[in-house]
């Protein structure tokens, strides 16, 4: 018996010892979890139930040079209902009234909303969708409705905000306005003005805490953000929407007429380098045109005869020729080693001066001019082109600038015929904007300016940064050479036999150079031969205000392909319409002080209105485009009558927004 008791006692000691060791192990583990790994597990638990989300800021507005909207951000709100947080008593008290108010605002039957809400309550749904993508004014009304006005914890109101980017001009300048996108890896895609100036427009993200609920969904906790987002600055571009509209439609008309593949237009202010319009249109398989790519900035190609201006300026500066130097165009054919330079005119032009060669665009004369003038020292010609900056990119803020090609003797591709071919725009490559920058310099007495797309960065009515003209080269040539070049460009249009004479008008003056460049000429199949038609120049001739280039690729050869026929009329149309509208433009400048005062008065009011969220603002004096954007963002239906700035609004300032559905603006 004692042995049996001793055995039982031993077993009890073993069990007790095991339990003691287990208890010690558990205690050690608990201490380890609490003291050593506690933060890790607390974070893990938090990540599974609560999470910090970023809040996208309102992107700044992008404006034209007169303050009209090119791109703006509009906030949209999604409303959901958390039935679990609402007491049965509160729900039954308010559900009928809430359903009626939702019906009045969102235009669906009250029975629809009552059924939706009751179903959510019965299922204890925590994320029932009530309305998607409503505007700010509607959101303000929703959060003041019965039950919802109790907030997220007692009223079950869940609000999600997102920001959409809208372009009031629609498809006009769509590619030039561009966009900025970021993927899940943080990689940015930047296009056009939006991409170039994203650093100013984008603002800073905010933070908001959300709680995980059923089915992997996340619900915002409270109304307040942990970190408030900072809205982006506004950017005022150099684009003039009137000139942009003129350029777009003139280019579109000609592309459709000649069934061309694509084309571009740029209009630049001569003395400032400000780009007033830039349009790029490409053809779809259905024959329609849209802003496909930024050809004006990104497409580097052989310029053809528009490069003759660069050649003759170089030859004049180096005193290889003067305008009276005579060249024999022979029979319109001139052989250089094993290649033949050809004139467009069968039989050639006979013996002509350098000035006449430019006027009629003789390839043989220019080939002789540059080949014979520089063959003993070809480096001198190329160095002169490089001194004028033709081999360098412009360094634009917009991504994707095409690289110019100016070969130097000894480079790959250089040969004995290079001087002759470069003279009239082959074996070189430039983008339309790079070509225009040179023409603009000639119109500007030799001062080459960097093309500019931005005027200032603003925060409300305060200027944060301003941008002035930037000089690339104060003198690409002497003033005397620039003066001679301007006369040559004028003669192309004014003289009877000038290649641009068909564009002449006695009512307004313009100067420029035609270009007709063969494309895909390596192929021996004539059916595959395509053309690039160009016209570059400026207007008016005396004291030029605007420079412009038009480039159209692959027009239908059966309709026409010469630069004077295809691209020249676009240039003339733009010049004519700008010229005819200039008195209106001058008159509008005198209204600037009044417009500024109205804008400042409105901005001061709107800051106050943002706090109240309930009254109609004063939009008189604003451009129609701006006024429509502001009022529609407040949930109003807007009807406009006329064009220009707002002269009168049908609903007076301070009227309760709840009482207004539609407002009429007289412009």
């Amino acid at each position: 018996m004692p042995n049996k008791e001793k055995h039982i006692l031993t077993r009890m000691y073993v069990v007790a010892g095991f339990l003691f060791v287990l208890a010690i192990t558990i205690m050690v583990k608990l201490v380890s979890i609490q003291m050593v790994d506690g933060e890790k597990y607390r974070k893990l638990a938090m990540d599974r139930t609560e999470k910090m989300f970023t809040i996208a800021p309102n992107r700044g507005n992008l404006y034209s040079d007169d303050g009209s909207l090119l791109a703006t951000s509009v906030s949209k709100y999604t409303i959901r209902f958390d039935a679990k947080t609402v007491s049965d008593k509160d729900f039954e008290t308010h559900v009928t009234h809430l359903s009626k108010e939702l019906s009045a605002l969102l235009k669906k039957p009250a029975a629809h909303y009552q059924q939706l809400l009751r179903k959510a309550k019965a299922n204890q749904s925590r994320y029932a969708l009530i309305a998607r993508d409503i505007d700010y004014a509607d959101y303000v009304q929703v959060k003041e409705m019965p039950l919802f006005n109790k907030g997220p914890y007692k009223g079950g109101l869940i609000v999600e905000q997102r920001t959409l980017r809208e372009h009031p001009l629609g498809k006009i300048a769509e590619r030039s306005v561009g966009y900025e996108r970021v993927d899940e890896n943080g990689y940015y895609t930047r296009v056009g003005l939006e991409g170039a100036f994203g650093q100013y427009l984008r603002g800073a993200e905010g933070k908001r805490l959300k709680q995980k609920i059923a089915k992997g969904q996340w619900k915002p906790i409270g109304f307040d953000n942990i970190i408030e987002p900072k809205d982006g600055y506004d950017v005022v571009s150099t684009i003039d929407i009137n000139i942009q509209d003129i350029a777009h439609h003139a280019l579109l008309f000609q592309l459709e007429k000649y069934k061309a593949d694509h084309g571009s237009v740029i209009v630049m202010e001569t003395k400032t380098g400000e780009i007033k319009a830039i349009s790029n249109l490409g053809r779809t398989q259905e024959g329609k045109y849209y802003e496909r790519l930024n050809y004006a900035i990104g497409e580097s190609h052989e310029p053809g005869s528009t490069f003759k201006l660069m050649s003759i300026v170089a030859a004049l500066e180096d005193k290889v020729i003067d305008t009276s130097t005579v060249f024999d165009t022979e029979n319109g054919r001139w052989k250089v080693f094993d290649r033949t330079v050809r004139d467009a005119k069968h039989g050639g032009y006979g013996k002509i001066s350098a000035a006449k060669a430019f006027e009629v665009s003789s390839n043989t004369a220019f080939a002789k001019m540059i080949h014979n003038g520089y063959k003993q020292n070809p480096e001198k010609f190329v160095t002169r082109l490089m001194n004028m900056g033709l081999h360098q990119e412009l360094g634009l803020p917009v991504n994707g600038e095409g690289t110019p090609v100016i070969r130097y003797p000894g480079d790959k591709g250089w040969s004995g015929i290079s001087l002759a071919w470069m003279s009239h725009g082959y074996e070189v490559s430039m983008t339309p904007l790079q070509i225009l920058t040179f023409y603009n310099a000639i119109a500007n007495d030799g001062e080459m300016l960097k093309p500019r797309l931005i005027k200032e960065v603003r925060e409300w009515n305060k200027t944060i940064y301003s941008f002035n003209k930037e000089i690339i080269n104060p003198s690409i040539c002497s003033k005397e050479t620039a003066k001679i070049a301007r006369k040559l460009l004028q003669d192309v249009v004014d003289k009877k036999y000038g290649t641009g004479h068909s564009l002449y008008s006695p009512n307004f003056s313009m100067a420029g150079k035609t270009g007709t460049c063969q494309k895909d000429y390596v192929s021996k199949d004539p059916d595959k031969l395509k053309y690039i038609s160009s016209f570059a120049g400026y207007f008016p001739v005396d004291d030029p205000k605007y420079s412009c280039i038009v480039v159209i690729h692959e027009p239908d050869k059966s309709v026409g392909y010469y630069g004077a026929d295809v691209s020249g009329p676009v240039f003339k149309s733009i010049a004519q319409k700008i010229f005819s509208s200039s008195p209106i433009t001058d008159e509008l400048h005198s209204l600037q002080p009044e417009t500024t005062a109205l804008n400042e008065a409105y901005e001061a009011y709107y800051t106050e209105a943002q706090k109240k969220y309930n009254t109609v603002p004063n939009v008189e004096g604003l451009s129609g485009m701006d006024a429509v954007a502001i009022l529609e963002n407040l949930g109003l239906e807007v009807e406009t009558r006329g064009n220009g700035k707002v002269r009168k609004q049908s609903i007076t300032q301070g009227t309760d927004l709840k009482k207004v559905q539609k407002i009429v603006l007289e412009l």
Side-chain angles (χ1 to χ4, degrees):
M1 188 72 179
N3 288 335
K4 186 176 181 181
E5 290 178 354
K6 186 177 180 180
H7 181 68
I8 292 172
L9 189 59
T10 301
R11 291 175 65 184
M12 290 178 64
Y13 283 141
V14 171
V15 172
F18 174 78
L19 292 174
F20 179 75
V21 171
L22 180 62
I24 293 297
T25 302
I26 293 172
M27 289 294 294
V28 170
K29 189 64 177 176
L30 288 173
V31 170
S32 174
I33 291 173
Q34 184 67 25
M35 303 299 293
V36 181
D37 297 323
E39 188 61 33
K40 171 186 172 183
Y41 287 109
R42 278 193 293 273
K43 186 176 183 304
L44 183 61
M46 184 68 73
D47 288 344
R48 290 179 176 177
T49 58
E50 294 182 354
K51 187 177 179 180
M52 195 71 71
F53 285 77
T54 59
I55 306 171
N58 284 323
R59 193 173 176 86
N61 291 333
L62 180 63
Y63 291 97
S64 68
D65 65 347
D66 70 346
S68 299
L69 279 169
L70 296 176
T72 186
S73 292
V74 178
S75 292
K76 296 293 184 181
Y77 300 84
T78 295
I79 307 298
R80 296 182 183 272
F81 178 55
D82 182 356
K84 199 167 185 178
T85 63
V86 179
S87 70
D88 293 343
K89 180 180 177 181
D90 281 344
F91 182 81
E92 291 300 333
T93 301
H94 299 295
V95 65
T96 301
H97 193 185
L98 173 60
S99 299
K100 289 180 179 179
E101 292 207 12
L102 286 171
S103 173
L105 179 67
L106 303 176
K107 311 306 179 188
K108 287 186 179 180
H112 165 79
Y113 291 105
Q114 184 154 178
Q115 181 182 8
L116 189 156
L117 292 166
R118 289 193 178 280
K119 183 178 179 180
K121 184 64 175 171
N123 296 335
Q124 289 291 284
S125 173
R126 306 208 65 184
Y127 211 56
L129 178 64
I130 304 299
R132 191 187 300 277
D133 288 342
I134 62 174
D135 60 30
Y136 179 76
D138 290 345
Y139 154 65
V140 171
Q141 292 188 56
V142 167
K143 73 175 188 175
E144 296 300 325
M145 289 180 180
L147 189 60
F148 284 167
N149 59 11
K150 292 179 178 289
Y153 298 115
K154 293 184 178 181
L157 178 63
I158 301 173
V159 179
E160 297 170 346
Q161 178 184 351
R162 69 188 185 106
T163 304
L164 302 178
R165 201 67 170 161
E166 292 189 352
H167 300 90
L169 285 183
K171 294 297 180 182
I172 296 178
E174 183 179 40
R175 191 74 185 184
S176 301
V177 171
Y179 57 84
E180 182 180 63
R181 295 172 185 159
V182 59
D183 63 19
E184 64 276 7
N185 299 316
Y187 177 78
Y188 279 89
T189 300
R190 297 183 174 97
V191 172
L193 297 173
E194 288 266 27
F197 307 117
Q199 66 195 83
Y200 305 120
L201 292 164
R202 94 176 53 107
E205 292 179 337
K207 300 288 184 182
R208 186 166 195 183
L209 192 62
K210 291 187 179 183
Q211 182 182 55
K212 192 172 186 180
I213 57 176
K215 298 181 181 179
Q217 297 170 328
W218 294 86
K219 165 191 165 183
I221 299 176
F223 276 125
D224 297 327
N225 301 318
I226 304 299
I227 300 175
E228 291 294 332
K230 178 175 172 50
D231 291 346
Y233 293 130
D234 294 335
V235 169
V236 180
S237 75
T238 61
I239 298 295
D240 182 309
I241 57 171
N242 293 320
I243 297 178
Q244 180 69 43
D245 184 66
I246 290 168
H248 172 89
H249 286 98
L251 176 63
L252 177 61
F253 176 84
Q254 206 71 347
L255 288 172
E256 291 177 338
K257 178 179 179 180
Y258 284 88
K259 304 174 186 176
D261 182 73
H262 64 275
S264 60
V265 172
I266 314 167
V267 180
M268 185 189 297
E269 195 170 70
T270 308
K271 292 178 173 57
T272 65
E274 291 185 1
I275 293 178
K276 311 312 291 185
I278 180 168
S279 183
N280 302 276
L281 295 173
R283 193 170 187 258
T284 67
Q285 291 182 343
E286 294 76 29
K288 303 295 183 181
Y289 292 91
Y290 72 109
E291 291 253 342
R292 188 169 67 190
L293 294 170
N294 200 337
Y295 305 108
I297 290 174
E299 187 173 33
S300 187
H301 59 84
E302 290 179 313
S305 291
T306 54
F307 196 80
K308 285 174 182 169
L309 178 65
M310 292 72 159
S311 295
I312 202 167
V313 167
L316 289 168
E317 280 290 278
D318 289 334
K319 303 193 183 307
V320 170
I321 59 145
D322 60 34
T323 54
S324 62
T325 303
V326 174
F327 298 95
D328 186 358
T329 65
E330 301 178 19
N331 63 349
R333 302 286 184 272
W334 185 57
K335 195 166 185 178
V336 187
F337 296 102
D338 62 339
R339 299 281 295 277
T340 302
V341 181
R342 293 175 171 81
D343 277 330
K345 181 182 177 183
H346 183 70
Y349 302 94
K351 293 180 179 180
I352 56 174
S353 67
K356 185 73 172 181
F358 190 84
E359 180 186 325
V360 299
S361 200
S362 170
N363 293 337
T364 57
F366 266 80
K368 287 186 175 184
M369 179 193 304
I370 301 304
H371 179 81
N372 293 337
Y374 290 96
K375 63 183 177 181
Q376 300 302 322
N377 187 7
E379 292 86 357
K380 185 178 181 180
F381 176 65
V382 179
T383 299
R384 174 62 65 182
L385 297 179
M386 290 181 171
N387 287 342
M388 294 190 293
L390 300 183
H391 66 303
Q392 296 175 330
E393 293 182 7
L394 298 170
L396 303 171
V398 177
N399 287 343
E401 181 182 359
T403 303
V405 176
I406 302 290
R407 292 193 183 96
Y408 198 80
D411 287 351
K412 183 179 180 180
W414 182 273
S415 70
I417 66 169
S418 290
L419 283 174
W421 257 252
M422 289 173 70
S423 70
H424 56 290
Y426 291 90
E427 290 197 17
V428 296
S429 183
M430 298 179 72
T431 68
L433 185 55
Q434 291 161 358
I435 297 169
L436 179 62
T437 300
F438 186 89
Y439 275 72
N440 192 79
I442 295 300
N444 204 30
D445 273 340
E447 184 181 66
M448 181 178 281
L449 301 178
K450 183 175 181 177
R452 193 153 52 89
L453 292 157
I454 182 174
K455 298 185 83 163
E456 63 178 354
V457 176
R458 305 186 68 193
E459 185 176 36
W460 290 95
N461 60 347
K462 178 183 176 183
T463 299
I464 307 298
Y465 306 104
S466 60
F467 300 84
N468 299 313
K469 78 174 186 179
E470 186 175 338
I471 299 173
I472 297 175
N473 189 335
S475 182
I476 62 168
C477 63
S478 67
K479 291 186 182 297
E480 181 183 358
T481 297
K483 183 178 179 181
I484 293 170
R486 287 198 297 275
K487 181 64 169 66
L488 294 173
L489 290 166
Q490 181 180 356
D491 287 348
V492 169
V493 177
D494 288 358
K495 291 290 186 70
K496 181 178 179 181
Y497 296 106
T499 55
H501 180 69
S502 61
L503 307 174
Y504 173 78
S505 171
N507 300 318
F508 64 95
S509 61
M510 49 186 268
K513 182 71 186 74
T514 59
T516 308
C517 178
Q518 292 183 353
K519 186 177 181 180
D520 299 327
Y521 51 81
V522 176
S523 173
K524 295 183 180 181
D525 184 352
D527 292 334
K528 293 183 179 179
L529 184 64
K530 299 172 183 176
Y531 290 89
I532 303 172
S533 303
S534 307
F535 192 95
Y538 53 84
F539 55 91
V541 169
D542 298 323
D543 191 20
K545 187 171 183 181
Y546 297 106
S547 59
C548 176
I549 187 169
V550 183
V551 181
I552 294 178
H553 284 251
E554 302 177 24
D556 187 329
K557 291 182 290 185
S558 66
V559 184
Y561 57 86
Y562 285 110
D565 300 328
V566 181
S567 294
V570 179
F571 185 102
K572 181 178 180 179
S573 177
I574 293 169
Q576 187 172 19
K577 289 178 180 176
I578 292 176
F579 179 84
S580 64
S581 65
S582 59
I584 299 174
T585 303
D586 292 341
E587 185 179 334
L588 283 175
H589 287 321
S590 66
L591 298 177
Q592 187 61 35
E594 180 184 351
T595 303
T596 302
L598 286 166
N599 282 340
E600 290 175 354
Y602 170 71
E603 287 168 357
Y605 162 78
Y606 193 61
T607 302
E608 180 65 24
Q610 284 284 73
K611 301 174 185 177
K612 298 179 180 179
Y613 310 123
N614 59 358
T615 59
V616 174
N618 173 27
V619 296
E620 292 180 4
L622 293 179
S623 70
M625 192 176 294
D626 285 355
V628 169
I630 291 168
L631 294 171
E632 285 187 345
N633 200 34
L634 293 175
L636 300 178
E637 180 184 347
V638 183
E639 179 183 336
T640 59
R641 297 172 182 172
N643 294 291
K645 299 183 184 296
V646 179
R647 182 171 58 84
K648 185 178 179 182
Q649 59 189 76
S650 63
I651 307 297
T652 58
Q653 173 186 350
T655 303
D656 191 337
L657 281 171
K658 293 181 180 179
K659 299 178 180 179
V660 181
Q661 288 187 339
K662 181 177 180 179
I663 185 169
V664 179
L665 303 180
E666 294 182 15
L667 309 182

